C-alpha cells in the first residue's frame, strides 16, 4: 500500500495507470487473532501452525461452503445447467443460519477443530466463523474480478479446484495431448477456467525472483510444482470449503493462493529482501485483471441490465453483470464467441478477440425486449398446457370461454 501511494505521487507511469484504472481492495489480515498470536511469539519461536487458526480454533481457509461437491453431485444427476447453475451457485440456506456448522475432511495433515487435531475422517462439524461471514458478505457486495490471498510457509502459487473429486464422480473426459507439466491424477477435477488459472499463476511465479528456482526441492518436502512454481490445490493440499473454490463458484472472481516464501514468519531484517522477491510479481499479477474482455449490457433505450449472464463459448462457466450492467471477464489471448442473455430479453452474440498486450477488449451488448415473459404468463394461466387454437366460425365450449375470461 505504501509503495503504491509513494510511486503514484512520484509519477511512476506504471503505478499511476494501475491505480487509476483499477479498483484495488487490500485486507491487511483476514485472521487478526492468529496474527497477534504469531506476533507475540516472534519469528524465532513461531511455527507453521501458529497463527493459522483463529482464537476460537477455526481454519478460515476451510470454513466456506463446499459448493464444488454440490456442483459435482448435480452433474452426476445431469441437472447442470438446466436445473443447477454452473456459476453463482447460491449459498445453502442452512449455512446462513446463526448456529450453522460446516463439515469437513482432514485435507493435508488433518484439520483443526476448536484447537484440536482431527486425524480420522469424517471430522465433526464446526461452526461458521464471524470472519468467514464477513468475507462472504464483502464478496457479495463488490463485483471482484481477480483476487489473491497471501500466505507464507511455502513458495508457490496454488489455484482451484482445491477440492479433490472422488474417483467415482469424475466424468469420463475426452483424450487430450499429454502435458509435461501435470501428472495424470483421476482425483483432480480441473475448473472450466483451468488454462486461465494457470496463466494467472504463471504470471506471478515467473516474475518472482526465486519461485521457479525449485532445483533444491520445495521448502519442506519435494517440489510439487514440476519446477514451475505453480500447482493445482487439490494436487498439493486437497481440502474442502476453501475460499478459492467458493469465490470461483459463487462470484465472478478468480481467486488464487500465493505463498510468498518458505519462512512463514520472517524476521524483521529479512522483510526487505522478501519484498524485493515479490514486488514485481504483485504488480504483474494485478495487471492481469485488465486481460480479457469487458463491456456493458444495456437495453435498446441504453438502460443497463443487471444480472445479465455472459457466456463464453468453450468455457462452461458463466459470469453475471454488475448492478450497472458492466462486466469483466479474464480470458487468455484468442478469439471467442460471446453471448449475453437476460430474463425478458432476446440474447445477443458477438465474436470478441483478446490480444497478448495488457488491455481488455471492449465488447458491449444491446438486448431487445422479448415476448417470452408474456407468453410464459399466459401459459401459466392455462396451467402450462397447450392453448387450443380457436377456429373462426366454430362456437366456443363453456370451458374455453372460462379460460379466455381468466386470461383477460
Amino acid at each position: 500500500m505504501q509503495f503504491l501511494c509513494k510511486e503514484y505521487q512520484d509519477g511512476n507511469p506504471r503505478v499511476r495507470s494501475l491505480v487509476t484504472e483499477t479498483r484495488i481492495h487490500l485486507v491487511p489480515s483476514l485472521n487478526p487473532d492468529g496474527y497477534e498470536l504469531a506476533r507475540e511469539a516472534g519469528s524465532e519461536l513461531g511455527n507453521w501452525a501458529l497463527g493459522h487458526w483463529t482464537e476460537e480454533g477455526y481454519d478460515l481457509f476451510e470454513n466456506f461452503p463446499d459448493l464444488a461437491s454440490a456442483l459435482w453431485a448435480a452433474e452426476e444427476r445431469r441437472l447442470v445447467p438446466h436445473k443447477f447453475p454452473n456459476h453463482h451457485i447460491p449459498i445453502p440456506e442452512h449455512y446462513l443460519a446463526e448456529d450453522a456448522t460446516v463439515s469437513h475432511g482432514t485435507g493435508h495433515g488433518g484439520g483443526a477443530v476448536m484447537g484440536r487435531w482431527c486425524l480420522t475422517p469424517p471430522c465433526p462439524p464446526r461452526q461458521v466463523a464471524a470472519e468467514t461471514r464477513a468475507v462472504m458478505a464483502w464478496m457479495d457486495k463488490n463485483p471482484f474480478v481477480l483476487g489473491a490471498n497471501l500466505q507464507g510457509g511455502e513458495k508457490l502459487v496454488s489455484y482451484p479446484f482445491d477440492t479433490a473429486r472422488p474417483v467415482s464422480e469424475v466424468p469420463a473426459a475426452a483424450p487430450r495431448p499429454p502435458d509435461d507439466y501435470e501428472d495424470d491424477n483421476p482425483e483432480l477435477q480441473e475448473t472450466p477456467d483451468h488454462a486461465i488459472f494457470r496463466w494467472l499463476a504463471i504470471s506471478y511465479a515467473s516474475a518472482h525472483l526465486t519461485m521457479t528456482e525449485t532445483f533444491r526441492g520445495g521448502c519442506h518436502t519435494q517440489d510439487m510444482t514440476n519446477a514451475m512454481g505453480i500447482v493445482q490445490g487439490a494436487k498439493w493440499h486437497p481440502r474442502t470449503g476453501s475460499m478459492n473454490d467458493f469465490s470461483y463458484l459463487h462470484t465472478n472472481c478468480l481467486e488464487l493462493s500465493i505463498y510468498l516464501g518458505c519462512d512463514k514468519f520472517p524476521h524483521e531484517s529479512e522483510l526487505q529482501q522478501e519484498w524485493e522477491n515479490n514486488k514485481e510479481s504483485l504488480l504483474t499479477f494485478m495487471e492481469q485483471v485488465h486481460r480479457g474482455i469487458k463491456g456493458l449490457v444495456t437495453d435498446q433505450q441504453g438502460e443497463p441490465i443487471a444480472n445479465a449472464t455472459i457466456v463464453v463459448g468453450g468455457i462452461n462457466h458463466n459470469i453475471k453483470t454488475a448492478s450497472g450492467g458492466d462486466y469483466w471477464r479474464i480470458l487468455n489471448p484468442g478469439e471467442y464467441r460471446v453471448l449475453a442473455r437476460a430474463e425478458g430479453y432476446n440474447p445477443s452474440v458477438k465474436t470478441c478477440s483478446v490480444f497478448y498486450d495488457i488491455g481488455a477488449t471492449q465488447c458491449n451488448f444491446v438486448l431487445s425486449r422479448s415476448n417470452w415473459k408474456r407468453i410464459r404468463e399466459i401459459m401459466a394461466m392455462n396451467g402450462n398446457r397447450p392453448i387450443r387454437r380457436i377456429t373462426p366460425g366454430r362456437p366456443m365450449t363453456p370451458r374455453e370461454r372460462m379460460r379466455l375470461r381468466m386470461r383477460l
Side-chain angles (χ1 to χ4, degrees):
M1 185 184 300
Q2 292 176 344
F3 172 82
L4 291 177
C5 292
K6 181 180 183 303
E7 293 299 309
Y8 183 90
Q9 293 175 342
D10 291 346
N12 184 322
R14 183 185 184 187
V15 172
R16 275 186 169 264
S17 175
L18 185 63
V19 172
T20 303
E21 300 177 10
T22 315
R23 282 178 282 182
I24 303 173
H25 295 248
L26 301 175
V27 180
S29 177
L30 187 63
N31 179 11
D33 295 341
Y35 172 79
E36 285 300 319
L37 290 173
R39 186 183 65 83
E40 290 173 3
S43 60
E44 289 83 1
L45 300 178
N47 57 51
W48 190 90
L50 184 61
H52 189 75
W53 292 277
T54 66
E55 187 176 6
E56 292 80 13
Y58 300 132
D59 181 351
L60 298 181
F61 291 96
E62 296 182 16
N63 197 236
F64 290 82
D66 178 16
L67 302 182
S69 295
L71 173 64
W72 297 335
E75 287 180 347
E76 285 286 300
R77 299 169 62 188
R78 299 184 179 180
L79 301 177
V80 180
H82 305 293
K83 294 185 178 180
F84 194 95
N86 66 6
H87 63 102
H88 287 80
I89 300 174
I91 301 172
E93 291 184 7
H94 67 82
Y95 192 92
L96 299 174
E98 288 297 326
D99 57 347
T101 60
V102 53
S103 59
H104 63 106
T106 59
H108 177 74
V113 182
M114 298 305 291
R116 294 173 293 175
W117 288 99
C118 170
L119 299 175
T120 306
C123 296
R126 60 194 165 177
Q127 290 188 329
V128 180
E131 293 90 342
T132 306
R133 295 180 186 274
V135 170
M136 290 194 300
W138 185 53
M139 289 180 172
D140 284 334
K141 182 180 178 181
N142 298 280
F144 294 122
V145 182
L146 178 64
N149 48 83
L150 307 180
Q151 305 185 50
E154 268 295 348
K155 191 164 55 177
L156 53 82
V157 181
S158 171
Y159 54 89
F161 282 121
D162 292 324
T163 307
R165 186 170 187 173
V167 178
S168 59
E169 295 182 8
V170 178
R176 66 173 186 173
D179 190 338
D180 293 336
Y181 301 116
E182 294 187 19
D183 298 329
D184 291 332
N185 189 330
E187 294 187 357
L188 290 184
Q189 176 69 21
E190 297 175 354
T191 68
D193 286 291
H194 183 72
I196 300 169
F197 272 120
R198 283 177 58 84
W199 176 292
L200 294 171
I202 290 173
S203 73
Y204 192 98
S206 62
H208 193 280
L209 295 187
T210 62
M211 191 169 285
T212 56
E213 295 178 1
T214 56
F215 51 86
R216 298 185 183 89
C219 292
H220 309 290
T221 59
Q222 67 178 22
D223 174 36
M224 296 293 294
T225 71
N226 292 322
M228 295 191 68
I230 69 171
V231 65
Q232 183 178 343
K235 176 182 178 181
W236 170 59
H237 186 163
R239 54 188 175 183
T240 59
S242 75
M243 183 163 65
N244 294 352
D245 287 2
F246 172 80
S247 180
Y248 180 65
L249 294 176
H250 182 68
T251 75
N252 289 344
C253 184
L254 304 182
E255 179 102 11
L256 296 84
S257 292
I258 299 175
Y259 292 80
L260 303 173
C262 294
D263 190 348
K264 189 171 181 65
F265 303 108
H267 193 272
E268 183 179 356
S269 62
E270 302 170 332
L271 291 179
Q272 182 60 37
Q273 184 57 51
E274 291 294 336
W275 163 244
E276 294 298 332
N277 289 344
N278 288 277
K279 178 176 66 175
E280 178 61 28
S281 295
L282 289 166
L283 292 173
T284 300
F285 182 81
M286 286 192 290
E287 289 171 338
Q288 302 308 305
V289 75
H290 297 290
R291 183 179 299 283
I293 60 175
K294 65 179 181 180
L296 287 170
V297 179
T298 61
D299 61 17
Q300 291 177 309
Q301 285 69 47
E303 294 297 320
I305 302 175
N307 292 319
T309 301
I310 304 297
V311 182
V312 178
I315 302 178
N316 190 29
H317 183 80
N318 308 331
I319 65 168
K320 286 185 175 292
T321 57
S323 58
D326 43 352
Y327 77 92
W328 306 264
R329 182 59 159 105
I330 298 179
L331 293 170
N332 286 343
E335 190 174 86
Y336 298 90
R337 186 173 175 83
V338 184
L339 177 144
R341 64 173 185 238
E343 184 72 24
Y345 295 87
N346 293 313
S348 175
V349 180
K350 282 187 176 183
T351 298
C352 306
S353 298
V354 178
F355 305 99
Y356 281 90
D357 295 336
I358 291 293
T361 301
Q362 193 80 23
C363 208
N364 298 326
F365 293 88
V366 178
L367 306 186
S368 60
R369 287 281 182 180
S370 169
N371 293 325
W372 276 108
K373 184 177 181 180
R374 180 57 181 159
I375 292 172
R376 290 193 185 98
E377 291 175 353
I378 295 174
M379 291 290 291
M381 288 189 294
N382 195 50
N384 288 325
R385 294 188 299 271
I387 301 175
R388 183 176 177 180
R389 181 181 178 185
I390 300 176
T391 305
R394 183 182 67 80
M396 296 176 63
T397 66
R399 179 175 293 181
E400 289 173 342
R401 288 196 194 94
M402 184 177 295
R403 288 177 179 170
L404 179 61
R405 208 173 290 121
M406 291 174 62
R407 292 198 296 271
L408 298 176

